Amino acid sequence: MDLTAITAVVAAISGIFVGWSGRARAIQQEIKNDAQSGGALHSDVEYIKRGVDDIRIEQRTQGKRIDDLAERVTRVEESSKQAHKRIDRLDAVPRQERED
């Protein structure tokens, strides 16, 4: 073999080796980037889950407040109705009888 052929073979083998190691490094970098992206995505999803849970808790609390308020309004309406009945009875009695 002459020197040119040996140089060509060595160059081809070293080219294959450099290409292979470069591709391996690129694959490792892609894996690292994917892992970072996956971790960031996972933490974002967890943050959203916590926010949704907080909203649900707040919604339940608001629902309870509304139920309590509706119950109080009902009681006030009943009391007002009774008061109006008493006032109507007083209006039906002549004024002189009330003053005696």
Side-chain angles (χ1 to χ4, degrees), residues 25-70:
R25 194 172 323 130
I27 289 172
Q28 287 177 347
Q29 187 64 31
E30 286 178 23
I31 290 171
K32 181 180 175 184
N33 290 341
D34 288 347
Q36 287 175 344
S37 296
L41 183 63
H42 180 72
S43 66
D44 289 345
V45 169
E46 288 299 317
Y47 177 75
I48 291 170
K49 280 182 179 179
R50 284 192 303 271
V52 168
D53 289 342
D54 291 344
I55 290 169
R56 284 183 181 157
I57 290 169
E58 175 101 13
Q59 187 178 15
R60 285 187 197 122
T61 304
Q62 289 293 2
K64 183 167 178 9
R65 286 181 187 163
I66 289 171
D67 291 343
D68 292 345
L69 187 59

Side-chain angles (χ1 to χ4, degrees), residues 2 6 14 17 21 24-25 36 43-44 46 49 51 53 56-58 72 76 79 85-87 90-92 97:
D2 69 350
I6 293 174
S14 65
F17 177 73
S21 64
R25 194 172 323 130
Q36 287 175 344
S43 66
D44 289 345
E46 288 299 317
K49 280 182 179 179
D53 289 342
R56 284 183 181 157
I57 290 169
E58 175 101 13
R72 289 181 64 195
V76 168
S79 177
K85 286 181 181 179
R86 287 191 300 270
I87 291 170
L90 281 176
D91 285 343
E97 289 180 22

